[in-house]
Amino acid sequence: MIKRIHVNQHNIRANAKDNGKRPVITVKTYKTNQYGHEVVIHGESKVVYRPDKPLSCGAKVWIETDADVEIDCNQM
């Protein structure tokens, strides 16, 4: 199953504004969104830049992989 990993800029801005600890990394599949502070990719991946065809969330740059990923959801 393809996973798309990207950085949530809204959470980065919100964290900077109120010193929050919101997770800023999103791992998307066709059926789930998972959030974390760190992701480890166990296999091949590629970085994609598509400014003319962003993801539904608005991301124009992301990492794609079929590999297993580990998501660290613990706060920093």
Side-chain angles (χ1 to χ4, degrees), residues 1-4 28-32 64-68:
M1 171 183 334
I2 291 195
K3 296 158 201 83
R4 292 185 174 102
K28 294 177 173 278
T29 68
Y30 74 94
K31 59 182 179 179
T32 65
E64 281 187 3
T65 186
D66 276 323
D68 290 334

Side-chain angles (χ1 to χ4, degrees), residues 4-74:
R4 292 185 174 102
I5 304 162
H6 71 93
V7 176
N8 184 321
Q9 293 182 26
H10 300 288
N11 282 357
I12 289 175
R13 287 187 197 108
N15 286 343
K17 189 173 185 177
D18 66 6
N19 204 26
K21 303 292 185 198
R22 297 167 193 83
V24 299
I25 301 172
T26 305
V27 179
K28 294 177 173 278
T29 68
Y30 74 94
K31 59 182 179 179
T32 65
N33 288 339
Q34 295 178 287
Y35 306 94
H37 296 281
E38 185 175 305
V39 174
V40 177
I41 303 169
H42 296 285
E44 292 187 23
S45 61
K46 67 179 178 180
V47 178
V48 178
Y49 173 55
R50 291 200 183 126
D52 298 333
K53 192 176 176 187
L55 297 179
S56 60
C57 62
K60 296 178 182 181
V61 178
W62 61 88
I63 299 168
E64 281 187 3
T65 186
D66 276 323
D68 290 334
V69 296
E70 286 180 53
I71 304 165
D72 181 357
C73 298
N74 297 321

